Amino acid sequence: MSDIRPLDPKKIRRGSAAMPILTRALLEAGGAREIYERDAPGIHLTTEAERADCLAATLARRPQGEVWVFGYGSLIWNPALKVAGRRTARVYGWHRAFCMSIIAGRAQPAAPGLMLALDAGGSCRGTAYRLHEDDIVSELTMLWRREMLCRDAYVPTWVELIGDDGSRFGHAIAFTMNPKSEKYAGNLPIEMVVHRLATAAGGLGSCADYLFQTRDGLHAHGIPDAHLDLLAAKVAAVRSSVPSPQAA
């Protein structure tokens, strides 16, 4: 079993972020919730009991075989998970997109940002993490504190994993976007996407840092994403001409 840690900062390009603020210790202490509530007072977040019910319902739908988690964004460079194995995988029917509108964590109500999610259609290449059977509930509980804190956004979905050799090797939990949510932002013009990513920041850092570290994490694992590279270049150009956003 291995405890995979954040990406080595030496492998992150100049202009990317500092090391991740969202650590396992922060999740265990409930600190993410405090940060969200400080960024957006009055924000309606899920309770521990609601997340436990959601996790139980997800595991009740578990396919046969081992449990994997599919990472396509920050889970690639900052998994904060104890895992039994890791490999590159592709999932079909979903693609990586900045389609979730956020007002906390890496944004604030006055300057909303965007977060990655899996949107319907196409395919997505990312990193799959295999959980040890004895750690499934404890590790997924931590993961739910991280990914399922906001209401009506992510939908935990079982997806089939396809290896680089084309073989099907298991099923993973992936966090897909609810297209009926008021947080869905999959139809924004690219200019607005760039503006939000360049200007939003909160208690966990900026959206731009999240973008840059995801770009670097993908490249470090041999997973290029041309659209994300384009966004990173455009955001870097905007940020070079204006002051960097600061969290309150």
Side-chain angles (χ1 to χ4, degrees), residues 93-164:
W94 305 95
H95 66 279
R96 180 174 25 245
F98 278 99
C99 61
M100 181 191 296
S101 182
I102 60 170
I103 59 169
R106 291 182 179 272
Q108 296 179 36
L114 293 169
M115 193 63 59
L116 285 170
L118 287 182
D119 204 358
S123 69
C124 178
R125 195 160 171 244
T127 302
Y129 301 98
R130 179 169 58 86
L131 302 183
H132 191 282
E133 190 69 27
D134 293 340
D135 293 331
I136 288 173
V137 174
S138 61
E139 291 307 301
L140 292 183
T141 295
M142 287 297 101
L143 188 60
W144 254 243
R145 286 184 181 178
R146 170 181 179 161
E147 306 294 351
M148 298 300 293
L149 188 58
C150 293
R151 295 180 181 275
D152 191 31
Y154 283 136
V155 179
T157 303
W158 289 98
V159 296
E160 187 173 40
L161 298 170
I162 311 298
D164 290 340

Side-chain angles (χ1 to χ4, degrees), residues 42-67:
I43 189 172
H44 197 199
L45 303 174
T46 58
T47 66
E48 195 78 27
E50 288 171 331
R51 291 193 297 275
D53 288 345
C54 175
L55 174 54
T58 301
L59 289 176
R61 302 190 300 271
R62 172 185 175 179
Q64 289 186 341
E66 296 171 312
V67 171

